[in-house]
Amino acid sequence: MTAQTESLNYKFDWKRILFLLIGLTLFFVVNFAPPWPDAIDPTGKHFVLSKEAKGALAVFLLGGTWWVFEVVPIGITSLTIGVLQVLFMIRPANSAFKDFMTPSVLFIFASLVIGMVFTKTGLTKRLAYKMLAIVGERTSMIYLGCFVVTAALTHIMAHTAVAATMYPLLMTIYSMYTDDDTPTKFGKGLFMGMAFVAGAGSIVTLLGAARGAVALGFFKDIIGRDVSFFELTFYMFPVGWVMTLLLWGFFMIFFKPESATIPGLREKAKKLSIAMGSITKNEILAATIIFLCIFVMSVKQFVPILKPVDKTAIILISTVLFFIFQILDIQDLEAIPWNIILLFGGAMSIGFCLWETGAAEWLAINWLSMFKESHWFVFVMSIAFFVMIMTNFIMNVAAIAISLPVALVIAPYLGVAPEVILFSALVTAGMPFLLLVGAAPNAIAYDSKQFTTGEFFLFGIPASIILMVVVGLAVYVIWPIMGMPILVN
């Protein structure tokens, strides 16, 4: 009788069914609603919300609801996004499903493989033990050490690759905190913090993510001015590191570790490091392959012959070499977390859907036009806020690309310099703290099973508020002091 009752309770998960139905209701109400009004930009141009664009918004709402409340596995929500586009003729199948294997998704795949290699070869444990011997036994310092290393690495390599590298290292550190599989505050703070800080660090240089280089190219086309690698870093460095330190404080408040120290950790780490012996051939080979791939990706924009080569092809070479040299085998390939790969496939699919149907542009124009007569500071913050919200759902490059043209048209009327619009948008585009699909590090951290999608969303709200406060401080105080033009005569 008890077993039957437990079975019924599991089957009738009313909370799950409620949010499943809410997602479906939002989809059908929006998709089959009468036509919505046109969006009108500051020049008077009309942007019609087509039937397909309205359908894209409907899929967007269902996907967001199901992802946040995890009514089905996150990868299955992604598949639903593709299926709905085809069944309701929003986009053809060869577009909706093709996006599940874009270069960006394959880049994430290759990054996850690198993380597996770190773990299998023992490089992760070796690095973790060295790090713990330095930072010591206080859990607050372990937080800080992990966050600083994560942020620093994103200055020289893509934040996805950094997250994939740090993830197994954090798993090793966490295993020395507790043997229990039950999630802890320390576990939640460690992994969510890594994801958040990876975003904060990635805004500092052009090497942290593709969004920076694309946005600067886009800015040059519209404004006709180059923003150099070092100019970007000059203005972004204080913002990225202020956010990193604030996030450390944030996680110390919201996820203060159950234990202030891990007694004997430093000595234990030293002993385990010694017990590992000298570095193995596989460790040297794996480290060499990974370092060379990261090095080529980092310098390719400065080497003319390498510029046309996509970074995905470069990082995938590492995957091929791992199997050629038998560092990995078929069992490792089958152990890859395909739920995470599907998650980003769905994210790319809905992102391109909103972009190609014109739904994203319609949203941007409606939002920014509301602020065309506002105070300049309110207008700049409205752009940053829009990009922050949109980058949680669609590609951050797309979020910038749909908002910058409209913002740069409105800006001269309010006397706002284009630079402050570009940089404020780039800051928020790098830190999607609400949904796992906003950035690969979010999804990689989720694989730790320390937190739910609902928890990530819930604690992402105050983190996003902190982000907006920092952006406001940068726009009003930090950047003007540093010499950035804010207003034009």
Side-chain angles (χ1 to χ4, degrees), residues 79-402:
L79 290 176
T80 306
I81 284 169
V83 169
L84 290 175
Q85 290 177 57
V86 177
L87 291 182
F88 290 88
M89 292 176 284
I90 298 167
R91 283 202 306 165
N94 62 352
S95 296
F97 293 120
K98 177 186 70 179
D99 298 335
F100 277 75
M101 274 297 165
T102 62
S104 295
V105 176
L106 286 172
F107 187 93
I108 292 164
F109 163 81
S111 298
L112 291 171
V113 171
I114 286 175
M116 292 178 67
V117 168
F118 266 93
T119 301
K120 185 172 183 178
T121 59
L123 278 169
T124 293
K125 288 183 178 179
R126 201 176 291 279
L127 291 170
Y129 298 153
K130 294 291 184 187
M131 180 178 171
L132 290 172
I134 294 169
V135 299
E137 300 175 354
R138 291 173 56 195
T139 47
S140 60
M141 289 298 101
I142 294 173
Y143 265 172
L144 182 61
C146 292
F147 294 171
V148 167
V149 169
T150 300
L153 285 175
T154 59
H155 296 355
I156 57 171
M157 58 193 278
H159 69 333
T160 302
V162 171
T165 302
M166 289 298 297
Y167 174 80
L169 189 147
L170 299 187
M171 289 293 285
T172 300
I173 291 172
Y174 185 68
S175 68
M176 300 178 77
Y177 180 76
T178 177
D179 294 327
D180 197 343
D181 292 334
T182 307
T184 63
K185 287 184 179 180
F186 181 65
K188 293 177 193 293
L190 198 62
F191 288 95
M192 286 176 62
M194 180 273 288
F196 285 13
V197 168
S202 73
I203 70 171
V204 174
T205 75
L206 289 176
L207 306 178
R211 79 184 88 86
V214 173
L216 295 194
F218 196 67
F219 183 78
K220 183 181 178 181
D221 289 342
I222 297 174
I223 303 300
R225 188 177 88 75
D226 273 316
V227 174
S228 71
F229 180 98
F230 297 105
E231 183 181 354
L232 176 103
T233 300
F234 176 69
Y235 288 121
M236 289 299 205
F237 187 88
V239 179
W241 280 99
V242 164
M243 275 303 299
T244 297
L245 295 175
L246 285 176
L247 287 169
W248 173 53
F250 173 85
F251 284 102
M252 280 303 299
I253 293 170
F254 285 96
F255 295 107
K256 187 176 181 179
E258 293 85 351
S259 303
T261 62
I262 308 176
L265 178 66
R266 177 172 275 156
E267 285 305 312
K268 184 179 179 182
K270 286 180 180 177
K271 287 178 182 177
L272 288 170
S273 180
I274 294 168
M276 287 190 73
S278 57
I279 193 165
T280 65
K281 183 185 76 172
N282 266 7
E283 285 178 273
I284 294 170
L285 184 57
T288 302
I289 292 170
I290 294 165
F291 173 78
L292 286 174
C293 284
I294 290 169
F295 177 76
V296 173
M297 284 191 293
S298 299
V299 302
K300 86 179 194 73
Q301 63 177 316
F302 305 111
V303 181
I305 196 170
L306 292 175
K307 274 189 178 181
V309 182
D310 190 276
K311 65 180 181 184
T312 303
I314 297 169
I315 198 170
L316 279 171
I317 290 172
S318 66
T319 301
V320 175
L321 291 175
F322 294 146
F323 285 91
I324 286 176
F325 290 108
Q326 297 184 318
I327 296 170
L328 297 179
D329 54 34
I330 186 65
Q331 285 77 24
D332 297 309
L333 185 62
E334 291 170 351
I336 287 169
W338 293 103
N339 191 39
I340 303 301
I341 304 296
L342 284 174
L343 168 68
F344 272 90
M348 296 302 292
S349 185
I350 188 58
F352 279 116
C353 184
L354 289 166
W355 173 269
E356 292 173 6
T357 60
E361 191 173 37
W362 184 87
L363 283 172
I365 291 164
N366 269 321
W367 172 258
L368 295 177
S369 293
M370 290 192 296
F371 300 93
K372 63 185 178 183
E373 296 179 4
S374 302
H375 184 272
W376 70 266
F377 180 75
V378 175
F379 174 67
V380 172
M381 294 301 290
S382 75
I383 296 162
F385 180 79
F386 178 82
V387 172
M388 182 187 74
I389 296 300
M390 291 302 291
T391 201
N392 276 280
F393 289 93
I394 66 175
M395 301 158 292
N396 45 40
V397 170
I400 290 171
I402 60 176

